[in-house]
Amino acid sequence: MSGSYLGPSFNSIEVENIGSDDMPERPVLVRPRIRIESPLGDPVADEWVGNSRPLPKPSKLDPKPVTWGRIRLPARPRGLGQLNKKVNAEIVTEIVTEDNEVVASDRQPLTLLDANEWVDDVNHPGALGAFVTPNSPALVPILRRAREILFQATGDSSTGAYQEETKEDIEVRVRQIAGAVYEAIREIGIDYSNPEGSLRNGQKIRSPRDILEQNSGTCLDTSVLYASCLSAIGVHPVIFLVAGHAFSGYYTWRHPLPLVKSDGTSITSDGTITDPNVIRYLWEEGFIQPVETTTLCRGSSPVGFEEA
């Protein structure tokens, strides 16, 4: 989509009728509706309206809730496409009767982000993955050069890394492919660029095309570029976030992994891992390999793949 919105996430709406217990019971049908109000001329998302349901009998001591789930606010590219900076908006939630009488309402602040802006927000830990674009046409010359480097080094330009028969062979081939991609990007001679903003307060991320056209990139830019190339060539990428810095890497083994520790403890993941103990375990067991990606930029002392 042309932009994204960041703010409170709605998984469900729960309503309780906390009127007086001695109030007469009235079978009233109500439904919720949610919309985003912004200063932009066009709506940034469609309004969501839930099904009508009977409001429970009023009670202060033991109110019975009625709940709606599966809330969706489909984005409208035309409205979001107007964004070129952060915009303050609101999520408006209303409970209405069959006659459209509003019986309860709530407003929550919302920040609309520019299309290429990202914030390291705990409510949306996987949002950075949206900037990994393996289908970008800008990657084609990089991938072509990576295959040439791979052929020169190994005599084989194929990139079916995870199709090898043994775990050891897979790890070797994945490393060779990841190294070829690294060297292909490093040959471009990208200049390092200091970021505007910060990971916590918002930072714009260049697309692969912008990086190559401007010949510059931040740690986030190079991390996303490397991850995009790895994904396009068949290697499962990883992006690491630490205090004030980002770098990339890859899964050395097939992914998704059967994430079970040696002691039998199960590890579940939806693709985003925030537990440092799990990350340490995956690294120490050799399932993931970090790669410093700011070294893809040219400098006085070039850094090769093994050192990175």
Side-chain angles (χ1 to χ4, degrees), residues 7-288:
S9 298
F10 282 82
N11 296 319
S12 64
I13 296 175
E14 183 176 284
V15 174
E16 294 179 347
N17 190 352
I18 57 173
S20 174
D21 291 329
D22 58 4
M23 289 177 61
E25 180 179 355
R26 295 186 302 164
V28 178
L29 292 177
V30 296
R31 66 182 185 274
R33 63 188 183 197
I34 302 177
R35 66 181 182 275
I36 296 177
E37 293 186 355
S38 78
L40 301 176
D42 294 307
V44 298
D46 292 337
E47 182 179 80
W48 179 85
V49 180
N51 295 326
S52 295
R53 296 183 181 176
L55 188 66
K57 179 182 178 179
S59 173
K60 286 186 176 180
L61 298 178
D62 186 27
K64 305 297 183 184
V66 56
T67 304
W68 291 266
R70 301 179 62 84
I71 298 170
R72 300 290 184 269
L73 291 170
R76 288 194 178 184
R78 180 177 178 178
L80 290 171
Q82 301 177 36
L83 292 171
N84 54 21
K85 61 180 181 179
K86 289 182 181 179
V87 173
N88 293 324
E90 288 184 318
I91 290 185
V92 181
T93 305
E94 295 175 329
I95 305 298
V96 300
T97 65
E98 290 291 275
D99 297 327
N100 281 326
E101 178 187 357
V102 177
V103 295
S105 64
D106 179 73
R107 289 177 176 266
Q108 295 291 332
L110 185 70
T111 301
L112 300 174
L113 300 179
D114 191 359
N116 63 344
E117 190 169 8
W118 172 79
V119 172
D120 184 14
D121 181 76
V122 295
N123 294 317
H124 304 81
L128 183 58
F131 292 89
V132 177
T133 54
N135 296 321
S136 171
L139 303 180
V140 172
I142 298 176
L143 302 179
R144 184 182 298 117
R145 177 56 183 151
R147 291 187 175 92
E148 292 174 354
I149 294 173
L150 190 61
F151 182 79
Q152 294 167 1
T154 69
D156 183 3
S157 62
S158 64
T159 56
Y162 301 102
Q163 297 177 6
E164 300 293 336
E165 293 185 359
T166 68
K167 183 175 184 295
E168 291 72 20
D169 289 343
I170 290 176
E171 290 176 344
V172 170
R173 192 57 179 170
V174 170
R175 192 178 190 90
Q176 291 171 344
I177 295 171
V181 171
Y182 178 93
E183 296 300 340
I185 298 175
R186 193 164 68 92
E187 285 182 359
I188 297 172
I190 297 170
D191 292 321
Y192 180 77
S193 173
N194 286 323
E196 295 182 8
S198 66
L199 302 187
R200 286 295 180 186
N201 297 323
Q203 186 173 321
K204 293 190 176 183
I205 301 177
R206 293 178 176 89
S207 67
R209 182 185 64 185
D210 290 340
I211 294 173
L212 299 179
E213 288 181 352
Q214 301 170 20
N215 201 50
S216 64
T218 65
C219 65
L220 263 179
D221 298 336
T222 54
S223 296
V224 168
L225 175 62
Y226 188 59
S228 297
C229 289
L230 289 181
S231 181
I233 211 165
V235 174
H236 303 309
V238 180
I239 296 180
F240 297 87
L241 295 176
V242 295
H245 187 50
F247 51 95
S248 192
Y250 58 90
Y251 277 91
T252 63
W253 186 233
R254 294 186 180 97
H255 182 64
L257 300 169
L259 298 181
V260 179
K261 295 183 181 179
S262 57
D263 61 3
T265 305
S266 176
I267 304 172
T268 58
S269 170
D270 61 354
T272 302
I273 301 175
T274 58
D275 185 342
N277 294 321
V278 174
I279 297 171
R280 176 180 292 275
Y281 165 77
L282 293 175
W283 175 63
E284 290 179 344
E285 293 295 318
F287 288 120
I288 55 175

